[in-house]
Amino acid sequence: MTVDLELALLAAGLAVTVISSVAALTAARAMTRLHFLTPITSVGFPLIGLAISVANGLGLTTAEVLFIVFLVAVSGPVLETAIGRVIAQREGMMADEAPE
């Protein structure tokens, strides 16, 4: 039962990651490529982390994996927003002034 759950989580996480990566390769602009990073950090990586946690069972290793997944899930969208702002400033889509 746990092996099936582990494989399902891993397959789903890898599918999201591979599809987003291939789609990012086809995008022409940096801003568009950045949008394909969001599913990886908010869906693919957590699913892979859950698969690793199910495989390891309860323990310190699982706690570390879940903590790292939490950090990436929380910080990923913030970093992507900051990177998107820099890209928009460099491409002239917005003013170079600081946000208020």
Side-chain angles (χ1 to χ4, degrees):
M1 174 76 177
T2 59
V3 173
D4 294 337
L5 177 62
E6 170 190 337
L7 290 176
L9 289 169
L10 185 62
L14 287 175
V16 168
T17 303
V18 169
I19 290 169
S20 293
S21 299
V22 170
L25 289 174
T26 63
R29 295 181 42 229
M31 189 68 82
T32 308
R33 287 192 300 268
L34 185 63
H35 287 295
F36 290 111
L37 182 61
T38 304
I40 295 172
T41 58
S42 60
V43 179
F45 187 72
L47 286 173
I48 294 170
L50 286 174
I52 293 169
S53 298
V54 169
N56 286 332
L58 295 177
L60 186 59
T61 304
T62 300
E64 290 178 18
V65 168
L66 291 177
F67 181 67
I68 292 169
V69 166
F70 172 76
L71 288 178
V72 170
V74 169
S75 66
V78 176
L79 292 172
E80 291 163 15
T81 302
I83 293 168
R85 182 173 176 80
V86 170
I87 292 171
Q89 287 174 345
R90 287 190 179 173
E91 291 182 356
M93 290 188 229
M94 64 181 302
D96 290 338
E97 59 198 40
E100 295 180 19

